[in-house]
Amino acid sequence: DKADIGVTGLAVMGRNLARNLARNGQRVAVHNRHRERTDDLVERFGGEGEFVATGSLRELVESLERPRRVVIMVKAGPATDAVIDELVPMLDTGDVLVDAGNANFTDTRRREAALAERGVHFVGTGVSGGEEGALHGPSIMPGGSAAAYRELEPVLRSIAANVDGTPCVTHVGADGAGHFVKMVHNGIEYADMQLIAETYDLLRKVLGREPDEIAETFRGFNTGRLNSYLIEITAEVLGHVDARTSRPFVDVVLDQAEQKGTGRWTVQNALELASPVTGIAEAVFARSISGQPGLREAAADLPGPSEQPRIEDPEGFVADVERALYASKIVAYAQGFDQIQAGSATYGWNIDLGAVATIWRGGCIIRAEFLDRIRAAYDQNPGLASLLADEDFRAALGEAQDSWRRVVATATASGVPVPGISTALAYYDTVRARRLPAALIQGQRDYFGAHTYRRTDVEGIFHTEWAADRSEHEA
Ligand code: NDP
């Protein structure tokens, strides 16, 4: 009997994805470069469904029903190319190759184009939700051709997370669109985590609260509009006591945040697209600063504020912080969706932003009720220029903004860094300003470089003779 689908790469993600497929009725051929993982999978989880253990990629391919469907779940980068190069000569026209690893979307575009020439469908697919998600239902973001998606759709729907009867999978767009959207998902995840971390830091340093008390506060937040997986796990981490020292876990962990690179890719791409994802950028840079002990040691003696502001109403401050977090979150997500919109336009993907919000409601790391609100905003107006222009989000920002300003002011006066919260507020004030000092910058550019400017009152391109009589003429 032939297998329905193959999976190569059986580390945590591939193994759990293979189990998820088998549990949902697929006969799954499995393969790993080092055989031990394959045998281990079949030995430990073979009872969960039908597995076909194979010892080589050739054996994997030969075990499959046609058109063959092979999921690659190996380390992103050169390892993925190595596996594709070995597989492709064994495949035929119409076969479907799925890369479910965290590929850079530019690699996916290159691979898709190369394989399309050979008639093999290549489907770069974002998968989010970590190992638990892979097993119980991830959020799945496939790119590639519509024809390839049709081949995969039933099986992807069966293994994806499900919210209110809707599976968290959609055909995002052609070639690298799926991996692009996964990249921005991770960027938003960085921003959201940074905002939550700043909120914790404020409650700790401004109010002097202990981690277990702050855990309680986050549990409270989690019953309201901030309800999300990230807030939930934040409360868990803050409430955790280190067994070795009996101290709060968060106090014994080295405060240097690591990164695997998808946040950096998001910001690099945002610079290419001129898409201002300031919240994601600050989050990536905040991790970078945390990871520079030399810099931090050299700067550790710099003076802080000479006096600390007194907080007269601590519960009022907590309420302000909740509003600042929510408002900043709206901005960070709005920026991320704007980047998807910009990428979609630049790379020709025609991405449905409401559908992206829909598949992020479950399975993935940023899953939250909040995504329902984003979906509703795009349902109401698919051409929305920014989520900030949505009526409900506008109302929420308007209601939050005084609190938001108080929080940034208090943080600044207290010397507590809030790069994520303050950049979100700065973005809000920038985009709503009727006049920006960009006019002055245009003047400076024209002064030193004759770069010219346009006027508010007359059409045309102008230059002022700054070094001479300061007369203006059309350029
Ligand atoms: P790793 O990223 O740690 O990759 C290990 C797997 O890749 C092993 O199966 C390994 O085989 C295989 N591999 C490495 N190099 C090669 C090579 N040159 N040729 C063939 N196989 C190779 O595994 P994960 O399970 O953590 O992740 C798999 C993919 O999923 C990655 O692309 C990752 O970025 C992505 N991902 C991971 C998430 C997570 O939470 N971990 C979440 C979402 C996506 P061997 O056993 O023989 O060494």
Side-chain angles (χ1 to χ4, degrees), residues 400-437:
Q401 59 137 354
D402 286 328
S403 296
W404 201 2
R405 296 181 195 288
R406 278 196 294 273
V407 167
V408 172
T410 304
T412 307
S414 311
V416 177
V418 287
I421 295 173
S422 58
T423 199
L425 180 55
Y427 179 88
Y428 172 81
D429 280 333
T430 301
V431 294
R432 68 178 193 85
R434 295 273 171 206
R435 286 288 292 165
L436 287 172

Short mmCIF file of all heavy atoms in Angstrom, two decimals, residues 400-437:
data_model
loop_
_atom_site.label_atom_id
_atom_site.label_comp_id
_atom_site.label_asym_id
_atom_site.label_seq_id
_atom_site.Cartn_x
_atom_site.Cartn_y
_atom_site.Cartn_z
N ALA A 400 -7.86 55.52 24.83
CA ALA A 400 -6.64 55.13 25.54
C ALA A 400 -5.58 56.21 25.57
O ALA A 400 -4.66 56.17 26.39
CB ALA A 400 -6.05 53.87 24.89
N GLN A 401 -5.68 57.20 24.70
CA GLN A 401 -4.49 58.00 24.45
C GLN A 401 -4.01 58.83 25.64
O GLN A 401 -2.80 58.97 25.83
CB GLN A 401 -4.67 58.88 23.21
CG GLN A 401 -5.83 59.82 23.30
CD GLN A 401 -5.48 61.19 22.78
OE1 GLN A 401 -4.33 61.47 22.45
NE2 GLN A 401 -6.47 62.05 22.73
N ASP A 402 -4.90 59.33 26.46
CA ASP A 402 -4.42 60.09 27.61
C ASP A 402 -3.64 59.19 28.57
O ASP A 402 -2.58 59.58 29.09
CB ASP A 402 -5.59 60.77 28.34
CG ASP A 402 -6.13 61.97 27.54
OD1 ASP A 402 -5.30 62.61 26.85
OD2 ASP A 402 -7.34 62.24 27.60
N SER A 403 -4.15 57.99 28.79
CA SER A 403 -3.43 57.02 29.63
C SER A 403 -2.07 56.69 29.03
O SER A 403 -1.05 56.61 29.73
CB SER A 403 -4.23 55.73 29.75
OG SER A 403 -5.45 55.95 30.40
N TRP A 404 -2.08 56.49 27.74
CA TRP A 404 -0.86 56.14 26.99
C TRP A 404 0.22 57.21 27.21
O TRP A 404 1.38 56.92 27.51
CB TRP A 404 -1.27 56.09 25.53
CG TRP A 404 -0.45 55.33 24.56
CD1 TRP A 404 0.67 54.58 24.78
CD2 TRP A 404 -0.71 55.25 23.15
NE1 TRP A 404 1.12 54.05 23.60
CE2 TRP A 404 0.28 54.43 22.59
CE3 TRP A 404 -1.71 55.79 22.32
CZ2 TRP A 404 0.31 54.15 21.21
CZ3 TRP A 404 -1.67 55.50 20.97
CH2 TRP A 404 -0.67 54.69 20.41
N ARG A 405 -0.22 58.46 27.10
CA ARG A 405 0.73 59.58 27.29
C ARG A 405 1.24 59.60 28.72
O ARG A 405 2.44 59.83 28.97
CB ARG A 405 0.06 60.91 26.94
CG ARG A 405 -0.33 61.00 25.48
CD ARG A 405 -0.97 62.34 25.12
NE ARG A 405 -1.63 62.23 23.82
CZ ARG A 405 -0.98 62.14 22.65
NH1 ARG A 405 0.34 62.19 22.63
NH2 ARG A 405 -1.64 62.01 21.52
N ARG A 406 0.35 59.39 29.68
CA ARG A 406 0.78 59.38 31.09
C ARG A 406 1.80 58.27 31.34
O ARG A 406 2.78 58.47 32.06
CB ARG A 406 -0.42 59.19 32.02
CG ARG A 406 -1.22 60.46 32.30
CD ARG A 406 -2.14 60.28 33.50
NE ARG A 406 -3.20 59.29 33.27
CZ ARG A 406 -4.39 59.58 32.71
NH1 ARG A 406 -4.67 60.82 32.34
NH2 ARG A 406 -5.29 58.64 32.55
N VAL A 407 1.58 57.12 30.73
CA VAL A 407 2.49 55.99 30.94
C VAL A 407 3.88 56.31 30.36
O VAL A 407 4.90 56.09 31.02
CB VAL A 407 1.92 54.69 30.32
CG1 VAL A 407 2.98 53.60 30.25
CG2 VAL A 407 0.72 54.22 31.13
N VAL A 408 3.90 56.86 29.15
CA VAL A 408 5.21 57.20 28.55
C VAL A 408 5.89 58.29 29.38
O VAL A 408 7.09 58.23 29.63
CB VAL A 408 5.03 57.62 27.07
CG1 VAL A 408 6.35 58.17 26.50
CG2 VAL A 408 4.56 56.44 26.23
N ALA A 409 5.10 59.27 29.85
CA ALA A 409 5.68 60.35 30.66
C ALA A 409 6.24 59.79 31.96
O ALA A 409 7.36 60.13 32.37
CB ALA A 409 4.61 61.41 30.94
N THR A 410 5.48 58.93 32.61
CA THR A 410 5.93 58.36 33.89
C THR A 410 7.16 57.48 33.68
O THR A 410 8.12 57.52 34.46
CB THR A 410 4.80 57.52 34.53
OG1 THR A 410 3.66 58.36 34.68
CG2 THR A 410 5.21 56.97 35.88
N ALA A 411 7.13 56.69 32.61
CA ALA A 411 8.29 55.82 32.32
C ALA A 411 9.53 56.68 32.09
O ALA A 411 10.61 56.40 32.64
CB ALA A 411 8.00 54.97 31.09
N THR A 412 9.38 57.73 31.32
CA THR A 412 10.51 58.60 31.01
C THR A 412 11.03 59.27 32.28
O THR A 412 12.24 59.30 32.54
CB THR A 412 10.07 59.67 29.98
OG1 THR A 412 9.49 59.00 28.87
CG2 THR A 412 11.26 60.49 29.51
N ALA A 413 10.10 59.80 33.09
CA ALA A 413 10.51 60.47 34.33
C ALA A 413 11.16 59.49 35.31
O ALA A 413 12.02 59.87 36.10
CB ALA A 413 9.29 61.13 34.98
N SER A 414 10.78 58.22 35.23
CA SER A 414 11.32 57.22 36.14
C SER A 414 12.59 56.57 35.60
O SER A 414 13.23 55.77 36.29
CB SER A 414 10.29 56.10 36.38
OG SER A 414 9.04 56.63 36.71
N GLY A 415 12.92 56.83 34.35
CA GLY A 415 14.10 56.21 33.76
C GLY A 415 13.89 54.75 33.40
O GLY A 415 14.84 53.98 33.35
N VAL A 416 12.64 54.36 33.15
CA VAL A 416 12.37 52.98 32.73
C VAL A 416 12.19 52.98 31.20
O VAL A 416 11.32 53.68 30.69
CB VAL A 416 11.09 52.43 33.41
CG1 VAL A 416 10.77 51.02 32.90
CG2 VAL A 416 11.25 52.44 34.91
N PRO A 417 13.01 52.22 30.47
CA PRO A 417 12.92 52.27 29.01
C PRO A 417 11.65 51.59 28.49
O PRO A 417 11.35 50.46 28.87
CB PRO A 417 14.16 51.52 28.54
CG PRO A 417 14.49 50.59 29.67
CD PRO A 417 14.06 51.28 30.94
N VAL A 418 10.93 52.31 27.64
CA VAL A 418 9.74 51.71 27.00
C VAL A 418 9.81 51.98 25.49
O VAL A 418 8.94 52.66 24.94
CB VAL A 418 8.42 52.25 27.61
CG1 VAL A 418 8.19 51.66 28.99
CG2 VAL A 418 8.41 53.77 27.71
N PRO A 419 10.83 51.44 24.81
CA PRO A 419 10.97 51.75 23.38
C PRO A 419 9.76 51.34 22.55
O PRO A 419 9.37 52.05 21.63
CB PRO A 419 12.23 50.98 22.96
CG PRO A 419 12.44 49.94 24.03
CD PRO A 419 11.88 50.55 25.29
N GLY A 420 9.14 50.21 22.88
CA GLY A 420 7.99 49.75 22.10
C GLY A 420 6.78 50.63 22.31
O GLY A 420 6.13 51.05 21.35
N ILE A 421 6.47 50.90 23.58
CA ILE A 421 5.27 51.71 23.88
C ILE A 421 5.46 53.13 23.35
O ILE A 421 4.55 53.72 22.78
CB ILE A 421 4.99 51.71 25.40
CG1 ILE A 421 4.63 50.30 25.88
CG2 ILE A 421 3.86 52.69 25.74
CD1 ILE A 421 4.50 50.16 27.40
N SER A 422 6.68 53.69 23.52
CA SER A 422 6.84 55.08 23.10
C SER A 422 6.94 55.22 21.58
O SER A 422 6.45 56.20 21.02
CB SER A 422 8.01 55.75 23.81
OG SER A 422 9.20 55.07 23.59
N THR A 423 7.51 54.22 20.90
CA THR A 423 7.54 54.35 19.43
C THR A 423 6.13 54.22 18.87
O THR A 423 5.80 54.85 17.86
CB THR A 423 8.50 53.34 18.77
OG1 THR A 423 8.80 53.82 17.45
CG2 THR A 423 7.92 51.95 18.63
N ALA A 424 5.31 53.42 19.52
CA ALA A 424 3.92 53.28 19.05
C ALA A 424 3.18 54.61 19.20
O ALA A 424 2.46 55.05 18.30
CB ALA A 424 3.20 52.18 19.83
N LEU A 425 3.40 55.27 20.33
CA LEU A 425 2.75 56.56 20.55
C LEU A 425 3.30 57.60 19.56
O LEU A 425 2.54 58.41 19.01
CB LEU A 425 2.97 57.02 22.00
CG LEU A 425 2.36 58.37 22.40
CD1 LEU A 425 0.86 58.43 22.12
CD2 LEU A 425 2.63 58.66 23.89
N ALA A 426 4.60 57.57 19.33
CA ALA A 426 5.20 58.51 18.37
C ALA A 426 4.62 58.28 16.97
O ALA A 426 4.34 59.23 16.24
CB ALA A 426 6.72 58.35 18.35
N TYR A 427 4.42 57.02 16.61
CA TYR A 427 3.84 56.70 15.30
C TYR A 427 2.42 57.27 15.22
O TYR A 427 2.03 57.90 14.23
CB TYR A 427 3.83 55.19 15.10
CG TYR A 427 3.24 54.73 13.79
CD1 TYR A 427 4.02 54.60 12.65
CD2 TYR A 427 1.89 54.39 13.70
CE1 TYR A 427 3.48 54.16 11.45
CE2 TYR A 427 1.33 53.95 12.50
CZ TYR A 427 2.13 53.84 11.38
OH TYR A 427 1.59 53.40 10.20
N TYR A 428 1.66 57.03 16.29
CA TYR A 428 0.28 57.53 16.35
C TYR A 428 0.25 59.05 16.16
O TYR A 428 -0.53 59.57 15.37
CB TYR A 428 -0.31 57.13 17.71
CG TYR A 428 -1.65 57.69 18.05
CD1 TYR A 428 -2.80 57.13 17.54
CD2 TYR A 428 -1.77 58.79 18.91
CE1 TYR A 428 -4.05 57.64 17.86
CE2 TYR A 428 -3.01 59.31 19.23
CZ TYR A 428 -4.15 58.74 18.71
OH TYR A 428 -5.37 59.26 19.03
N ASP A 429 1.15 59.74 16.90
CA ASP A 429 1.14 61.20 16.79
C ASP A 429 1.68 61.67 15.44
O ASP A 429 1.30 62.74 14.96
CB ASP A 429 1.96 61.81 17.95
CG ASP A 429 1.14 61.85 19.24
OD1 ASP A 429 -0.11 61.92 19.16
OD2 ASP A 429 1.75 61.81 20.33
N THR A 430 2.56 60.87 14.84
CA THR A 430 3.09 61.25 13.53
C THR A 430 2.02 61.13 12.46
O THR A 430 1.81 62.06 11.67
CB THR A 430 4.30 60.36 13.16
OG1 THR A 430 5.31 60.51 14.15
CG2 THR A 430 4.87 60.75 11.80
N VAL A 431 1.35 59.97 12.41
CA VAL A 431 0.41 59.79 11.31
C VAL A 431 -0.82 60.68 11.44
O VAL A 431 -1.44 61.03 10.44
CB VAL A 431 -0.02 58.31 11.11
CG1 VAL A 431 1.17 57.45 10.68
CG2 VAL A 431 -0.68 57.73 12.34
N ARG A 432 -1.14 61.11 12.68
CA ARG A 432 -2.34 61.95 12.81
C ARG A 432 -2.01 63.44 12.66
O ARG A 432 -2.91 64.28 12.60
CB ARG A 432 -3.06 61.68 14.13
CG ARG A 432 -2.32 62.13 15.33
CD ARG A 432 -3.02 61.94 16.65
NE ARG A 432 -2.26 62.74 17.61
CZ ARG A 432 -2.47 64.02 17.81
NH1 ARG A 432 -3.44 64.64 17.18
NH2 ARG A 432 -1.69 64.69 18.63
N ALA A 433 -0.71 63.81 12.60
CA ALA A 433 -0.35 65.23 12.54
C ALA A 433 -0.77 65.84 11.20
O ALA A 433 -0.56 65.24 10.15
CB ALA A 433 1.16 65.38 12.72
N ARG A 434 -1.34 67.02 11.25
CA ARG A 434 -1.73 67.69 10.00
C ARG A 434 -0.48 68.23 9.30
O ARG A 434 -0.45 68.33 8.07
CB ARG A 434 -2.68 68.86 10.30
CG ARG A 434 -3.99 68.41 10.87
CD ARG A 434 -4.98 68.08 9.76
NE ARG A 434 -6.16 67.46 10.34
CZ ARG A 434 -6.95 66.62 9.69
NH1 ARG A 434 -6.69 66.32 8.43
NH2 ARG A 434 -7.97 66.10 10.28
N ARG A 435 0.48 68.69 10.09
CA ARG A 435 1.74 69.19 9.52
C ARG A 435 2.88 68.46 10.20
O ARG A 435 2.90 68.29 11.42
CB ARG A 435 1.91 70.69 9.79
CG ARG A 435 1.04 71.60 8.96
CD ARG A 435 1.47 71.69 7.49
NE ARG A 435 2.75 72.38 7.31
CZ ARG A 435 3.47 72.33 6.18
NH1 ARG A 435 3.04 71.62 5.14
NH2 ARG A 435 4.61 72.97 6.08
N LEU A 436 3.87 68.05 9.40
CA LEU A 436 5.04 67.39 9.96
C LEU A 436 6.28 68.24 9.68
O LEU A 436 6.32 68.98 8.68
CB LEU A 436 5.23 66.01 9.30
CG LEU A 436 4.23 64.93 9.73
CD1 LEU A 436 4.40 63.68 8.86
CD2 LEU A 436 4.43 64.57 11.21
N PRO A 437 7.30 68.12 10.53
CA PRO A 437 8.54 68.88 10.29
C PRO A 437 9.30 68.36 9.08
O PRO A 437 10.40 68.82 8.80
CB PRO A 437 9.32 68.70 11.59
CG PRO A 437 8.81 67.44 12.17
CD PRO A 437 7.37 67.36 11.78
#
